[in-house]
Amino acid sequence: MGVGPVGKPSRRYPERPIVGVLAVVLRGDRALVVRRSNPPMPGRWGFPGGVLELGETVAQGAMRELFEETGVKAEAAGPLTVIDTIDRDPEGGIRYHYTLVAVIGRWISGEGVPGDDADEVAWLSRDEITERNLPTAPALLPLIDLVLARRKDPSCRLS
């Protein structure tokens, strides 16, 4: 693995998968989403998230990333799912490999303003995202569907 900014290991062409976290926060039928400003997937809409830091739980990491990227505070309500994101270059080399843990967050405060790694922040419904034909991270719509389905389960308290 190469060395990136400030002496940190580069996330491109990693030696092993990198653990990332996503914060999945809804208010009503609207999800808090960000338009990413940095690789991977710059310009695409997705859930706030980033790399888990040493010593953090996935819940702590997801809520930290949420606040850093949007200024929104939420309480972690548990894991939603795990996603593998693997991007290969034209020669078949692994350019990026993330194992992402999506964590459900219960909104506490904040409307959302772009912070680090976010160009825009919005509360959007699934229909608004598809009607506007927004470029999205591959997992965005499936995660919205999954969290909405979980909310319909009376044994889950996700509101």
Side-chain angles (χ1 to χ4, degrees), residues 27-135:
R27 281 195 322 197
D29 68 339
R30 287 184 155 73
L32 180 65
V33 294
V34 297
R35 188 165 55 90
R36 306 210 65 79
S37 59
N38 297 318
M41 295 186 267
R44 291 184 177 264
W45 289 86
F47 286 107
V51 174
L52 188 66
E53 293 181 356
L54 187 64
E56 280 184 322
T57 66
V58 293
Q60 291 168 337
M63 297 306 103
R64 173 187 52 77
E65 286 287 346
L66 171 69
F67 185 74
E68 287 176 1
E69 291 187 16
T70 69
V72 168
K73 290 186 180 181
E75 173 188 11
L80 178 61
T81 192
V82 177
I83 303 161
D84 292 306
T85 301
I86 303 169
D87 178 54
R88 295 182 185 272
D89 63 24
E91 292 78 38
I94 298 175
R95 188 175 11 230
Y96 295 104
H97 183 166
Y98 290 96
T99 298
L100 303 173
V101 181
V103 176
I104 299 166
R106 288 191 194 105
W107 178 80
I108 295 173
S109 66
E111 294 305 311
V113 294
D116 74 342
D117 197 32
D119 285 332
E120 283 186 68
V121 175
W123 292 92
L124 299 172
S125 70
R126 187 190 201 290
D127 289 344
E128 289 168 325
I129 293 166
T130 56
E131 287 167 6
R132 295 180 191 179
N133 199 29
L134 297 176

